[in-house]
Each structure stands twice: as C-alpha cells, then as structure tokens.
Amino acid sequence: MDNVEHSDVAENNKVPETLDVVNPYDQTYIESIATVIWGDIDKYLSTAHQLYKDCNQWIPAFERVSILKKAAVLISQRADELAFLIANEGGKPLADARVEVTRAIDGVELCAKEISKLIGSQIPMDLTQAGAGRIAFTTKEPIGVVVAVSAFNHPLNLIVHQVAPAVAAGCPVLVKPARDTPLSCKAFVDILHEAGLPPQWCRFVACDISTSEKMITDPRVAFFSFIGSANIGWMLRSKLAPGTRCALEHGGVAPVIIDESADIDAMIPSLLKGGFYHSGQVCVSVQRIYAPKDKAKNIAQLLAEGAAKLIVGNAIDEKTECGPLIRPKEVDRVEEWVDEAVAAGAILMTGGKRLGESTYAPTVLFEPPANAKVSTMEIFGPVVCVYGYDDIDEAIEQANSLDYAFQAAVFTKNLDIATKAIRELDATAVMVNDHTAFRVDWMPFAGRKHSGYNTGGIAYTMHDMSQDKMAVIKL
C-alpha cells in the first residue's frame, strides 16, 4: 500500500469521538453526541451520489413540498423547545431565539413554495435559418450532492437556509454544523426525517476538521455551501474538486453613515439593536458608524447610554439582552482589540471590560485609529465604533476602504443623500434609515470581495443548487 491507502485505512478504523455540548455562558453540560468518522461519511457520499446519478430515484416535487410543509408544522409544534435549545447551546438570548425559530418556520415554508418556481423556459430556435425547424425548452434538475458547513451564531436558521433549499431542489445533502452548536442542526435533520424525507437524502455529520475537509473536497460533491470565516472559506474553495460549485458567506465590518438630516432619536434604538444583537456575533452587525463631526460625540454618548443599560447574562434567562460570546477565547480576543484601540487613542464611552470568563460589556468607542483592528477587522463581539467626518464623500471613502463589503446603511431624511449612498457605497445591500443587520429570508444576502461568493437567500440558494437542461427537438 502507498501512504494514501494507509491513511484511508487509519481513517476508516477511527473510533468516533464524543462531542460534549455546553452552555457557553457557564460551561454547563447539555448533551454529548458522537462524531462521524470518514468511513461512514464515505458511505454517505456514495449513497448520495448514487441517488443523484439515478434520476428514477429522485423525489418528485409534490413529495418534496409535502415533506417541507410537514417539517414546518413540526418546528411550530416544538417552537419553545427549539428556542431554548438555541439559547442554551448558542448563547442567543431567548427573545431572539424565538424569533429565529419563527424565521426557520417561514424559511421552510418558503422553500416549499419556491419549488413551483423551479421552471425552465422555451428557447426560440427560428431566429436564424440554422435553427429553423426545431423547438427547444429547458428544465431544471438538481445539481447533485450538496455538502453544507455552517456557523454557530444562528444554529437553526442557518441550517434551514443551507439544507431546506437542497431538499427543495431535490439534492441529497450532508450537513456539518459548528462544533459548538450541533444540537439545533440535529434537531432539524431529525424533523426532516420525521416529516418523511428518507434518511439517505439528508445526513447529519458532526466530524473533526480534517475529516470535514476530506468530505468537502471529495469529487462526488457537486455543491459546497459554507458559512464561516473568510480565511477558512477561501482556503476550502481553493481545494474543491474540479466541477464543484460553491457559495461562501463570510463576515463584514459593516459601515453606517449618518447624515446631517438624520432623526437621531429614532436612529439610536435601531443602531443599538444592529450593533449589540447576539452580542455582535452577526456577520452584518453594525461596527463602524460615521457621523458629522459636530454630532459624532453626542451620538456616541447616546449609544453608550443605551449600551450601558443592556442586561448581560445567561441567554436562557428571560431578562438577558446580550448573551455570552461563544467561547472564552473570543472574549480574550475582543478584550485585546479594545485595549489596543484605547491605548492608541480611542475614547472609551462605555464598556471596555470583560464581565466574566464568557461575557464582555457592550462597548462604544469614539474615534479609534483608522488602522486599529476594531476599525479594519470584523470584531464579532459587542463593540461599536463611532467616527466623525467633515464631508460625506470622506465618510463613504472610509466605509469603502476595506477588503470586506457586505451590508451597509445610511440614516438621512435627504433623498439625494440616500440615493448617493445607495449608488456609492460598496455593499450588496444598503439600508436606508435601518441598521445593517436587517434581513428577511427571501431577499438576496451576499458578501462582496473578501466577504463572500455567490448569493444566499432561499430562492437564490435553490437556483444555485439547480441546473438547466435543454432539449432541442428537430421537427
């Protein structure tokens, strides 16, 4: 045997490890699950690939509709249980976890509805003499085996956005959740099976990093869906097998521009929600706010007053508004970045300290240096930065200065300023008089540049997981 064969034998003979899931606030044990070794994943891929290759085994559209509708009902019946699970394993406050469950229900129902829109079109053939005497049309087919790798911050709804479209498009799918939050993912996969989806069409795959990379880069994979950090996403894309398509959703350093005409009193609650929702652990969380110089300090102070009132604690406590960061080492990192910015001249308006091993105080910084980490990198924590500007063109230039571009926002009562921001901000979506973290699940959702590749959103993902086939009939 050569080295590769020896390696495969070792992988196949591995004993599954046990993954302990804990509450990120106090590390309280929740549950243990067994990880999946390569030998099992190899079998899953083979089965999934064979299901795809034999079109006679494809699940008819009406059955997919029925399965998804039943799944939505089952999620509704278990809404409280799932919301508690999201809060307990992921640290998202219960109030927000309940919203996530509602979104998951809506997302599954939307997938069922969108199946009716997986349609082809007639192609005119007699536009030239060469095509005359023929009729042609296209149909939609599933792209093949989908592998989805997800993040921790929306442990149910992200899985819905990756897995339910695959089911709707008729693709077999293997899904690897974040190691911190596998239980919500497993619950959804189990619900799909209970709703009538044969288990071989959707597999829950909790595994280690090396095994997941082997699965992702396997030539049997037709589509790779990834939600996570830019470094890992781009690395994995570079290793995909020839022909494998992908969608990557990374993070951003979301900018907000405040115009002179903005309604400040109405704006502050929106910015607080956009900046401190899930303790800033959102890929489009408000991070950089640019305000006119004569108003910037006051805006920072108003934000600081609101942030200081937020209740930080265990996400399963009904009173909690800001939960823990997902791991203690993330608190270490946020603390380091904030301390660095303050040492370099940023004014600390509120926060700037850890409250425990797993929590960090909601923090507002005024005028951190433009080259500080908090100004140039996604902090993924409860930190918002405010900067003053003299000219709105300068603010737009600063907003566009990074390699990350996702969602952006502008607050203004001036239509000219609104249209200028929409036109000139480098973003896939520009919110007017709303925070950058706004999203509904049927809208396109995507990052530019380092922030991602391809477009998310239910219908857009189903399109990516489908392919056209044309029939040309000579009369």
Side-chain angles (χ1 to χ4, degrees), residues 173-468:
V173 55
L174 283 68
V175 54
K176 178 197 173 298
R179 287 176 69 84
D180 297 290
T181 55
L183 301 179
S184 298
C185 174
K186 187 175 186 303
F188 179 62
V189 172
D190 289 345
I191 283 171
L192 285 174
H193 295 164
E194 186 177 343
L197 184 70
Q200 63 266 31
W201 282 88
C202 182
R203 300 286 193 179
F204 168 81
V205 179
C207 59
D208 61 34
I209 293 173
S210 61
T211 305
S212 66
E213 183 174 327
K214 191 170 184 178
M215 171 178 65
I216 291 161
T217 57
D218 191 281
R220 291 167 289 189
V221 177
F223 192 85
F224 171 49
S225 171
F226 176 81
I227 301 174
S229 74
N231 287 342
I232 295 175
W234 293 117
M235 178 274 290
L236 290 171
R237 179 175 178 255
S238 73
K239 295 184 177 183
L240 294 178
T244 302
R245 272 55 174 171
C246 71
L248 312 176
E249 184 184 307
H250 304 145
V253 193
V256 175
I257 293 178
I258 299 171
D259 173 46
E260 288 279 359
S261 67
D263 184 338
I264 293 176
D265 290 338
M267 172 187 71
I268 295 299
S270 179
L271 290 177
L272 286 169
K273 184 63 177 179
F276 299 109
Y277 166 66
H278 201 3
S279 294
Q281 297 171 112
V282 180
C283 59
V284 285
S285 179
V286 171
Q287 185 169 332
R288 298 177 294 152
I289 299 174
Y290 298 92
K293 271 195 175 171
D294 60 343
K295 297 183 177 184
K297 188 73 176 284
N298 179 55
I299 288 170
Q301 183 59 42
L302 291 171
L303 287 169
E305 291 170 3
K309 295 175 184 175
L310 294 171
I311 299 171
V312 181
N314 195 331
I316 63 175
D317 186 333
E318 288 282 2
K319 296 179 181 178
T320 295
E321 295 171 289
C322 287
L325 297 191
I326 192 63
R327 290 177 291 275
K329 70 177 183 180
E330 296 304 319
V331 183
D332 297 339
R333 178 185 57 78
V334 170
E335 182 179 45
E336 177 187 320
W337 288 18
V338 171
D339 289 349
E340 173 197 78
V342 172
I347 298 173
L348 180 64
M349 305 297 292
T350 192
K353 60 183 179 181
R354 65 191 308 148
L355 302 177
E357 186 180 1
S358 62
T359 52
Y360 195 82
T363 298
V364 177
L365 297 175
F366 182 61
E367 294 286 13
N371 62 352
K373 288 188 179 73
V374 297
S375 300
T376 58
M377 300 171 68
E378 181 183 34
I379 194 160
F380 227 60
V383 179
V384 170
C385 304
V386 181
Y387 312 80
Y389 70 81
D390 291 311
D391 179 80
I392 196 165
D393 288 323
E394 169 198 344
I396 292 174
E397 182 180 357
Q398 285 298 308
N400 292 342
S401 64
L402 304 181
D403 291 327
Y404 298 90
F406 211 140
Q407 297 197 159
V410 59
F411 284 83
T412 182
K413 292 182 179 179
N414 186 317
L415 182 59
D416 288 342
I417 295 296
T419 54
K420 177 182 177 68
I422 292 168
R423 184 176 65 253
E424 297 182 13
L425 280 171
D426 189 3
T428 51
V430 177
M431 309 302 162
V432 179
N433 296 324
D434 209 345
H435 60 72
T436 58
F438 172 80
R439 183 187 184 185
V440 290
D441 297 306
W442 54 89
M443 67 186 250
F445 189 72
R448 292 181 176 178
K449 300 192 287 188
H450 290 193
S451 288
Y453 179 77
N454 253 320
T455 303
I458 296 295
Y460 300 88
T461 300
M462 286 174 62
H463 172 80
D464 284 345
M465 293 177 177
S466 304
Q467 54 190 352
D468 290 319

